[in-house]
Amino acid sequence: SAYNSGAGANNTVYAVALDVAGKLMVVGDFTLFNGVTLNGVARVNADGSVESSFNPGSGANGSVRSVALQSDGKVMIGGLFTNYAGTNINRIARITANGVLDQSFNPGGGANGAVLAVAMHTNKVLVGGGFTTINGVNQNFLARLNADGALDPGFNAGAGPNNAVRALAVYTNGPNAGKIVLAGDFTSFNGTNRSFVARLNGDGSLDDSFGNAAVNGSVLAVAIQNNQVIIGGLFDTVSGANRNRIARLSDNGLLDLTFDPGTGANEHVSALAIDAAGNVL
């Protein structure tokens, strides 16, 4: 095979992202990747080998759960770590394509709980997880940070979700451009019933045009397919219909009956992607 990662990661991989150079950023619980010491973060060439210029030093001192790429090649990471390469930084950080901590991104005290999802929102970064404060400011499970790491006061989610956010996706084009899909363990958003998945306007307010899909279990992954939303997770019904752990929601937030995965998945779905042909992976 043209892709050979050798021994690969020696522990769980939670997320991967393809960077502007066609290389993979890989994050997780591993301490070795193909025999090279890489704590929680690795950059992998197209053939599966470790990128030799990627040198994160001691890397993350705890689990890295999420990754998002900036257009300039820098990398946002989130997780459970409290230190990166010898610098104290709580659960959200930005690194260069070579693995060095970007000191120009300063989230202050950072998140007080796990950061399980990160996504770019133009030149800002959305973070979701199990936290309730960012840099000492109340932010329930969801926040947006400016490019310098400071909280963005222009993003106001009110009381936000009532439980953890595990996945985020942003519409990049079409009539919903700039809107945000979030998913996780929550059952309401800012006091309005939303079962495990919701759509927000770009300012953090709830998008009322995307209704309550009545999912009956946690949603762990989301992907945007045109103006529809693919969800994966622990659920087995959506909008009252049987859907085992994968489903598609229409632009109004309700179940799209034309997407029928049959008996679906027999275990949880924790990652989703849409390929260039529009197929769901």
Side-chain angles (χ1 to χ4, degrees), residues 109-269:
N112 72 336
V115 172
L116 304 174
V118 291
M120 298 311 301
H121 198 219
T122 59
N123 64 334
K124 301 182 180 185
V125 59
L126 294 164
V127 294
F131 55 84
T132 54
T133 69
I134 297 280
N135 197 19
V137 179
N138 291 339
Q139 297 285 309
N140 290 325
F141 312 111
L142 178 70
R144 188 170 70 190
L145 307 182
N146 291 321
D148 62 359
L151 269 172
D152 177 10
F155 185 83
N156 183 6
N162 68 342
N163 210 331
V165 171
R166 296 185 177 274
L168 292 163
V170 176
Y171 292 81
T172 57
N173 51 49
N176 293 314
K179 291 185 178 182
I180 302 154
V181 178
L182 67 156
D185 300 335
F186 56 87
T187 56
S188 72
F189 186 91
N190 200 18
T192 300
N193 289 339
R194 284 295 184 272
S195 300
F196 309 106
V197 61
R199 189 167 72 190
L200 309 183
N201 298 308
D203 62 1
S205 61
L206 187 66
D207 178 5
D208 291 326
S209 70
F210 189 88
N212 187 9
V215 183
N216 76 336
S218 292
V219 176
L220 308 178
V222 294
I224 294 171
Q225 186 189 43
N226 298 319
N227 288 319
Q228 297 168 308
V229 176
I230 309 294
I231 59 173
L234 303 174
F235 55 86
D236 56 25
T237 69
V238 178
S239 301
N242 292 333
R243 284 294 185 275
N244 287 322
R245 303 169 186 90
I246 186 166
R248 187 167 69 191
L249 307 180
S250 298
D251 192 37
N252 62 6
L254 304 183
L255 180 66
D256 177 5
L257 293 169
T258 67
F259 181 88
D260 185 359
T263 55
N266 71 337
E267 250 297 347
H268 68 276
V269 173

Side-chain angles (χ1 to χ4, degrees), residues 11-168:
N11 209 331
T12 305
V13 170
Y14 283 107
V16 297
L18 187 65
D19 72 14
V20 292
K23 300 180 181 185
L24 281 177
M25 285 300 309
V26 183
V27 302
D29 285 344
F30 53 85
T31 57
L32 295 171
F33 196 97
N34 200 11
V36 179
T37 297
L38 292 163
N39 289 318
V41 291
R43 190 172 185 225
V44 181
N45 295 314
D47 63 1
S49 61
V50 173
E51 168 58 72
S52 59
S53 69
F54 186 81
N55 182 11
S58 58
N61 72 336
S63 184
V64 183
R65 297 297 180 91
S66 49
V67 60
L69 303 175
Q70 295 187 175
S71 58
D72 62 1
K74 291 182 178 178
V75 182
M76 295 300 312
I77 58 172
L80 282 66
F81 56 87
T82 57
N83 186 286
Y84 186 92
T87 299
N88 291 334
I89 190 159
N90 289 322
R91 304 175 185 90
I92 180 75
R94 185 167 67 203
I95 62 176
T96 70
N98 291 333
V100 177
L101 184 68
D102 179 2
Q103 302 277 2
S104 70
F105 180 85
N106 180 10
N112 72 336
V115 172
L116 304 174
V118 291
M120 298 311 301
H121 198 219
T122 59
N123 64 334
K124 301 182 180 185
V125 59
L126 294 164
V127 294
F131 55 84
T132 54
T133 69
I134 297 280
N135 197 19
V137 179
N138 291 339
Q139 297 285 309
N140 290 325
F141 312 111
L142 178 70
R144 188 170 70 190
L145 307 182
N146 291 321
D148 62 359
L151 269 172
D152 177 10
F155 185 83
N156 183 6
N162 68 342
N163 210 331
V165 171
R166 296 185 177 274
L168 292 163

